[in-house]
Amino acid sequence: MTIEITATIRNTQGTGASRRLRHAGRVPGVVYGMGDAITIDVDHNDVYHKLRSEAFHASVLTLDLAGKKEPVMLRAFVMHPFRQQVMHIDLQRVDLNKKIHTKVALHFINADIAPGTKAGGKISHVLNELEVSCLPKDLPAFIEIDLAGLALGHSIHVADVKLPKNVEVAGHHHHADAVATVQVPRGALEAAADDAAAAEATTAAADK
């Protein structure tokens, strides 16, 4: 399902104009890329609730601007330091025939049945999102990471991630980078150290 956001063209600029817009329940913003940048404003409550949806951050959106619809993506937004208020939003136009680079959230499943978890280990999410490259139509809302086979002290790496069709890893990621790992419990490490020390002491005594 396509997410649509409605905006109007903003003709006034400056701090005072933006403050008045916010008081009126609007959020100032900019649409850029593939042509001239256009200043816009959107309904605050609408964009506030949409920002709470994961799909809004990693989907090609439909911008309805003055009756003209075009594909865009959310590129940045600014929240008030302590109020639940969106202060600004940036949207970027998208060419549906060209690959895009963007970050996609990772969803971890089956942590409760992972051998490492059953052995008392704690799963650490090293990455919570992955930068990918694909055509807009192939952009996934999220990427699933199955932890069912993850053993104690082992990791899932970028190379192990099952990507959707026509989606590639992009950005600074390397195949050997860890995505998730099962950390050995501190108590187990201490016990192993004690066992090793005891074994060493026994061997030393036997050699005398």
Side-chain angles (χ1 to χ4, degrees), residues 91-105:
L91 302 172
Q92 182 178 357
R93 298 183 187 93
V94 173
D95 185 338
L96 297 178
N97 297 312
K98 291 184 178 180
K99 288 187 175 183
I100 55 175
H101 288 241
T102 191
K103 293 178 180 179
V104 175

Side-chain angles (χ1 to χ4, degrees), residues 180-202:
T181 185
V182 181
Q183 299 173 342
V184 179
R186 183 179 179 83
L189 289 172
E190 293 173 346
D194 290 342
D195 290 344
E200 186 176 340
T202 299

